[in-house]
Amino acid sequence: MKITDVKLDVVSIPRHTGFVCQHAIVRILTDDGVTGIGEMSDFSHLPKYSIDVRDLEETLKAQLAGRNPFDLIALNRELGELYPETMYYYEKGTFIRCGVDIALHDLAGKALGVNVSELLGGRVRDKLKVCYPIFRSRTTEEAKANVDVVRRRFAQGFDAFRLYAGVNPEADEAFLDAVRREFGSRVTIKSLDFSHLLDWKSALRAAKRLMPYGVQLIESPAERNDFEGLRQFRTAVDLPVSEHVWSFRQLHEMIRADSADIFNIALIFIGGFGAARKAAAAAEVAGKGVLIGTTQELSLGTAAQALFGAGLTNLAAISDPTGPELYVDDVTAEPVRYENGYLLVPDAALPGIGMEIDWDKVERLRVPGFSWGAQKVANLQDRTVTTGGERP
């Protein structure tokens, strides 16, 4: 079997907050007629520049055409040379490598007639506990709107939430206080996510104010790549500290500095299944736990995240992939399923990733390429253009 072509279909889909995200659906075609499908998720992040999708398509075709799709290690190593790590959280190169790697795994699974979970070594669970994100409250009015989000999502079965915090501690406290008074122990605040917006001392002051509301862990409470600051924060609090993993050098420095308890690993931020498994293994060797992170993927990317999490033996916290619930539309025939606050892993009997693309939906949502609107930095950080909350 040889790869014959690579196709990229860019789709544009709004979130319920009004923020519009662009994703690329990856198709890797072969001379045997088997096609692997992947997802480059949510290119609408900082840094605010776009990639020429047709040039990217030609570049990937030139690199992959004529190759054996089962040569996953060699192909991923070469992609890592084309799109190297930069020690930046939203580096577009890892998004590209991730989408291709998912498609290669999907292709291999389909060719062999097995689910990708078998290629990854099997499963130790069939569902993952997940949390719903509450985006940053910059005013107390936005905090009130976010309480409404909790009400709606709790009615749908979500009982764990992740709060993006730190810009307005008064608004954060108003939100947490309202949720505790209304829901009590029925709702879990999985984490305060400071998203690297504060230095560690400022994050510590905010965290100490908010921790009494029953928070389980703290995420990203220092500036990016401030490993010493992250360590200082960790030694000053009793809660576990989590940090996202976006490069192997960064992971090495965090392990060396002993600066985190739990590593937040998402396929999109580290470059696909192979890189994510390597990062999780390094964490396990270092005695660290893992949670599954997210950029808020569509159903295909979320299914891939679920398959990765299904085989982890050091999954140590509630995970984050709830992207399909945030968007007003999707590209799969059926979305991934959530039940009682859990993400269900795709059926083990389904080959590949286990998701079917609805190409009529892709055509309806298609845009010519990646582009930017007039979003301000705060919109890009908070993934919203509305005044708090989200559209019902």
Side-chain angles (χ1 to χ4, degrees):
M1 178 185 289
K2 300 295 182 183
I3 295 172
T4 58
D5 206 353
V6 178
K7 298 291 185 183
L8 300 178
D9 301 284
V10 180
V11 296
S12 184
I13 305 178
R15 296 187 181 192
H16 291 292
T17 61
F19 189 89
V20 178
C21 297
Q22 295 173 330
H23 316 258
I25 307 304
V26 184
R27 286 182 284 165
I28 298 181
L29 290 72
T30 66
D31 55 2
D32 280 8
V34 181
T35 299
I37 310 295
E39 178 182 312
M40 299 176 185
S41 310
D42 194 4
F43 264 82
S44 307
H45 267 294
L46 291 168
K48 196 174 182 180
Y49 60 75
S50 299
I51 292 173
D52 185 322
V53 69
R54 297 285 75 87
D55 179 70
L56 175 59
E57 189 177 69
E58 289 301 315
T59 300
L60 292 174
K61 179 179 178 180
Q63 187 69 23
L64 298 175
R67 305 294 296 276
N68 180 351
F70 286 92
D71 288 340
L72 295 167
I73 294 175
L75 293 175
N76 273 294
R77 183 178 60 216
E78 293 167 16
L79 289 168
E81 294 171 353
L82 287 178
Y83 308 103
E85 295 182 345
T86 64
M87 294 281 283
Y88 184 68
Y89 190 10
Y90 299 118
E91 166 53 39
K92 301 293 195 290
T94 63
F95 290 34
I96 294 167
R97 288 189 280 118
C98 177
V100 173
D101 184 66
I102 291 174
L104 289 170
H105 278 80
D106 184 58
L107 197 164
K110 288 174 177 175
L112 296 173
V114 301
N115 189 261
V116 165
S117 61
E118 293 193 35
L119 301 180
L120 300 179
R123 306 180 180 197
V124 295
R125 63 183 61 82
D126 290 315
K127 61 183 181 180
L128 284 72
K129 184 66 177 176
V130 293
C131 60
Y132 193 86
I134 301 298
F135 294 102
R136 226 172 308 278
S137 298
R138 293 180 179 266
T139 66
T140 53
E141 288 303 312
E142 290 181 349
K144 293 177 182 177
N146 278 329
V147 176
D148 288 335
V149 176
V150 173
R151 291 190 187 103
R152 289 198 300 272
R153 296 301 178 174
F154 182 77
Q156 294 175 343
F158 291 99
D159 59 359
F161 295 87
R162 171 168 56 109
L163 177 63
Y164 287 91
V167 170
N168 186 335
E170 288 76 20
D172 294 335
E173 187 166 21
F175 168 80
L176 291 170
D177 182 63
V179 169
R180 183 173 66 174
R181 284 188 285 105
E182 181 169 343
F183 295 96
S185 61
R186 295 180 297 160
V187 158
T188 296
I189 302 300
K190 172 258 193 172
S191 62
L192 302 175
D193 189 342
F194 288 102
S195 303
H196 316 108
L197 296 182
L198 303 177
D199 64 84
W200 74 269
K201 290 183 179 179
S202 299
L204 181 61
R205 287 192 293 271
K208 287 185 174 180
R209 177 173 179 174
L210 302 176
M211 283 164 51
Y213 289 93
V215 177
Q216 289 191 342
L217 59 91
I218 311 291
E219 295 190 85
S220 304
E223 295 173 333
R224 279 188 301 270
N225 298 320
D226 180 8
F227 310 114
E228 175 60 20
L230 192 59
R231 187 190 69 81
Q232 293 279 5
F233 182 97
R234 179 176 177 245
T235 60
V237 298
D238 292 331
L239 293 180
V241 172
S242 171
E243 183 55 281
H244 304 72
V245 176
W246 53 77
S247 81
F248 287 109
R249 174 58 186 272
Q250 176 235 7
L251 176 61
H252 168 78
E253 295 293 346
M254 288 195 293
I255 291 174
R256 185 168 70 171
D258 198 20
S259 56
D261 302 284
I262 298 173
F263 292 122
N264 181 319
I265 301 176
L267 300 185
I268 195 72
F269 293 134
I270 194 64
F273 285 115
R277 293 179 69 200
K278 188 184 298 185
E284 188 166 21
V285 170
K288 305 295 185 179
V290 167
L291 67 84
I292 309 301
T294 186
T295 185
Q296 307 305 351
E297 299 80 2
L298 300 175
S299 280
L300 178 65
T302 301
Q305 293 268 75
L307 292 168
F308 166 57
L312 287 181
T313 54
N314 57 333
L315 189 66
I318 297 171
S319 292
D320 299 338
T322 51
E325 293 292 317
L326 273 67
Y327 292 104
V328 303
D329 213 334
D330 211 321
V331 297
T332 51
E334 296 291 337
V336 292
R337 294 174 55 206
Y338 295 90
E339 287 185 0
N340 300 319
Y342 285 84
L343 167 61
L344 304 188
V345 183
D347 190 332
L350 297 174
I353 298 297
M355 302 298 291
E356 179 184 353
I357 299 295
D358 184 328
W359 293 103
D360 289 335
K361 291 182 180 179
V362 173
E363 191 60 37
R364 174 168 52 81
L365 298 166
R366 184 190 304 276
V367 292
F370 301 117
S371 62
W372 285 96
Q375 301 100 327
K376 298 179 180 179
V377 171
N379 298 138
L380 297 169
Q381 290 172 341
D382 297 349
R383 323 301 286 156
T384 180
V385 296
T386 62
T387 305
E390 55 187 41
R391 298 169 183 171

